[in-house]
Amino acid sequence: MSELVLHYHPLSSYCWKATIAIDALGIDVRKQLLDLADSTQRSAYYALWPIGKMPLLVDGGHTVPETSIIIEYLQRHHAQQGARLIPDDFDSALDVRLWDRFFDQYVMTPMQVHTANLLKPEDKRDPDAIARARDLLERSYAILERHLAGRTWMAGDAFSMADCSAAPALFYAVTYVPLSPEHAHLSAYLERLMDHPAVAATIDQSRDWFKFYPGRAGLSRRYFDPAEV
């Protein structure tokens, strides 16, 4: 049986989505730290996946890119008996995939605009892009607040791929655009996410890296102490 290897970085929100799913599905995967600033590692990685995005799952001679595809592949081929993140029922599975895409497109993407902006020299930063990203996050929060009324998890009654996507997206997004008192359902959901064993494990494995996160000023002291910088 071939070894499963996940090429990843512990600060990457999309890598979190994959590692949360891996834990939730009960799969043994070797996590290979990826440093794209290292020319040797970068060349080797681009040989595996020329797009260069992370994470990437390698299963023997088979490479699987893109987090949602990685999760579906792992569930189909490697999950522990009975472990599911995507339901078998077609309509329920569509609902999970919808909210998975919602978080990737409308929470993760504008969050990353904020991070990318902080990585630029001050004279190259784009306040208009930040305003657009903030507006999209605020609209997304409002949609999620309405959707979560009376719900425990994002899609259906069980923790799913949609929640794997939600956890890193929201964890990082609120460091730039915090939730307000009007987001009571969303705030409660975020706490449930942070307490889920698979999410908590990924956060714990990333703590030593938070000092390098560009938006660390917005992190709760629960996760990061500024005195550590």
Side-chain angles (χ1 to χ4, degrees):
M1 186 174 180
S2 60
E3 181 186 34
L4 287 168
V5 180
L6 185 77
H7 295 266
Y8 90 119
H9 192 281
L11 277 182
S12 164
S13 54
Y14 279 107
C15 292
W16 278 30
K17 178 178 166 181
T19 58
I20 290 165
I22 286 166
D23 281 354
L25 292 170
I27 302 170
D28 184 20
V29 176
R30 178 167 68 83
K31 297 171 187 174
Q32 179 65 51
L33 180 66
L34 179 61
D35 180 7
L36 291 177
D38 181 285
S39 59
T40 302
Q41 288 191 41
R42 185 170 63 251
S43 295
Y45 189 66
Y46 274 58
L48 288 172
W49 179 229
I51 297 297
K53 297 289 188 180
M54 65 175 86
L56 181 73
L57 180 74
V58 178
D59 183 6
H62 188 46
T63 58
V64 186
E66 300 296 323
T67 51
S68 299
I69 306 304
I70 288 171
I71 293 169
E72 296 217 27
Y73 177 89
L74 288 171
Q75 176 171 298
R76 182 173 181 85
H77 296 289
H78 295 285
Q80 284 188 355
Q81 185 70 31
R84 312 293 293 171
L85 290 172
I86 304 158
D88 293 325
D89 175 74
F90 181 80
D91 289 333
S92 298
L94 275 186
D95 197 38
V96 167
R97 293 186 179 101
L98 166 65
W99 289 105
D100 169 66
R101 302 312 303 140
F102 183 93
F103 279 103
D104 283 0
Q105 296 294 325
Y106 307 122
V107 182
M108 201 95 79
T109 296
M111 174 276 290
Q112 290 180 328
V113 170
H114 283 80
T115 298
N117 199 61
L118 285 178
L119 291 171
K120 296 177 181 178
E122 284 198 35
D123 62 339
K124 301 294 184 182
R125 293 178 183 174
D126 187 347
D128 291 336
I130 290 300
R132 291 192 296 273
R134 173 177 284 274
D135 176 68
L136 181 51
L137 280 174
E138 289 175 343
R139 284 185 286 136
S140 297
Y141 289 172
I143 291 167
L144 292 167
E145 176 64 21
R146 291 193 296 272
H147 176 72
L148 284 162
R151 293 175 178 266
T152 300
W153 301 114
M154 186 53 54
D157 296 328
F159 186 90
S160 72
M161 180 170 70
D163 303 294
C164 295
S165 182
L170 289 169
F171 179 91
Y172 284 119
V174 299
T175 66
Y176 298 120
V177 181
L179 300 180
S180 70
E182 68 188 30
H183 298 128
H185 298 305
L186 181 54
S187 295
Y189 170 66
L190 180 56
E191 286 303 307
R192 287 193 294 277
L193 280 177
M194 297 301 99
D195 288 338
H196 188 279
V199 177
T202 286
I203 291 173
D204 284 342
Q205 292 161 17
S206 305
R207 286 181 187 273
D208 289 344
W209 293 86
F210 286 151
K211 58 181 175 288
F212 302 114
Y213 169 50
R216 59 186 176 272
L219 284 171
S220 165
R221 291 291 185 91
R222 172 181 173 185
Y223 306 112
F224 174 69
D225 184 350
E228 293 178 3
V229 178

